[in-house]
């Protein structure tokens, strides 16, 4: 059965490679478990957003969250 | 900690609502486990692709997979 | 000055064409005002999501919001 | 060499399946020729936009182009 | 009423943070005014494109617009 | 005839500008040939993915392909 899921994960930048490894492994397993597809069919694109690349309620994250303030 | 993951899942159309329920629940748990974020921060957009809306190797899925042949 | 903004608006389905007219007009004006670009350079793609095509906190909108329950 | 191009084609709805066949075949060949990758590595997602799902210069296509007027 | 708009703004790189602040504020207000939703429900992802990351008519912007020429 | 194709090409980072020039030129020609549209109507966004920004089968490319190993 060809399900071909292609996922895009938009998340704030700053995660370690190990966190990304855990993310893609866990999300791939979750997709395979739910859709009964083979893991090598699952593709994941990670799009990292900087503090001035994501806004909620009209405010940039770098202006509302200390963690993403511009250094 | 605000991680705000917004995911897009591109997959072939035809899954049941229960499969989608299991998908969004499992994927959300996987994201939370990996990124240590709260589940209500995780948004998932499901984009369903018809047989003539996805191609691999230059061929439409409806022309290469019986399951997606146009009825 | 060529700024070429291409926007994608992912929103729940169910809006009227007049709401969409108001949306694309207001958003285009907002982009032009902020970026000082010409309106004909601004492209907007509207992606409408059904109740079983968007999830928050691991739950499909059709299961958490009366408005998007499947009829 | 793994290049893994995943393409998304956003275009107005209304094309025939044969036009889509020609599109995915020609675009896949173009990608392979430019990037020297194997065709089965190339994935193409086609996103069809209705007349009230695409706007230029603050106007919906269905309001500016006879071809996409709502019937 | 939960409308949950998630917007992606693809634009050429090079804007100042103040231009981005004005952009996300104005676009959020425009969305709220048109869809009558609350501003904290509106998410905006900004995707900045370099001169060799955007093309019109088969030409890279860095080759057609002095402003995006590679330094 | 306004077909307005907007393409997004997600590919691994590391290509030269000349490869990108060839890519956008060939893909634009392919789209115009298939859809009989004018080339200046075709927009292409190139999204380059780092080795830790793309995964297949639950593994990051940087962990499975020598070419994308982190230096």
């Amino acid at each position: 059965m060809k399900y071909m899921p292609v996922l895009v994960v938009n998340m704030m930048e700053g995660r370690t490679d190990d966190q990304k490894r855990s993310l893609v492994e866990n999300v791939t397993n979750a997709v395979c478990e739910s859709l009964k597809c083979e893991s090598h069919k699952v593709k994941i694109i990670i799009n990292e957003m900087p503090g001035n690349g994501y806004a909620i309620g009209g405010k940039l994250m770098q202006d509302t969250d200390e963690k993403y303030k511009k250094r």
Side-chain angles (χ1 to χ4, degrees), chain A residues 14-25:
Chain A
R15 307 302 167 40
T16 65
D17 280 356
D18 278 345
Q19 281 178 307
K20 289 174 194 169
R21 286 187 183 97
S22 154
L23 177 70
V24 296
E25 186 177 347

Side-chain angles (χ1 to χ4, degrees), chain A residues 50-52 60-63 65-71:
Chain A
N52 63 357
L60 293 176
M61 284 292 274
Q62 74 180 20
D63 295 335
D65 191 319
E66 191 54 37
K67 183 176 158 55
Y68 300 113
K69 199 173 279 300
K70 220 164 201 178
R71 303 298 163 211

Side-chain angles (χ1 to χ4, degrees), chain A residues 25-48:
Chain A
E25 186 177 347
N26 291 339
V27 167
T28 298
N29 292 339
V31 171
C32 294
E33 192 196 314
S34 319
L35 303 185
K36 309 300 180 233
C37 67
E38 300 149 286
S39 79
H40 71 278
K41 300 279 187 185
V42 179
K43 288 140 186 99
I44 299 177
I45 298 171
I46 297 176
N47 174 39
E48 291 194 89

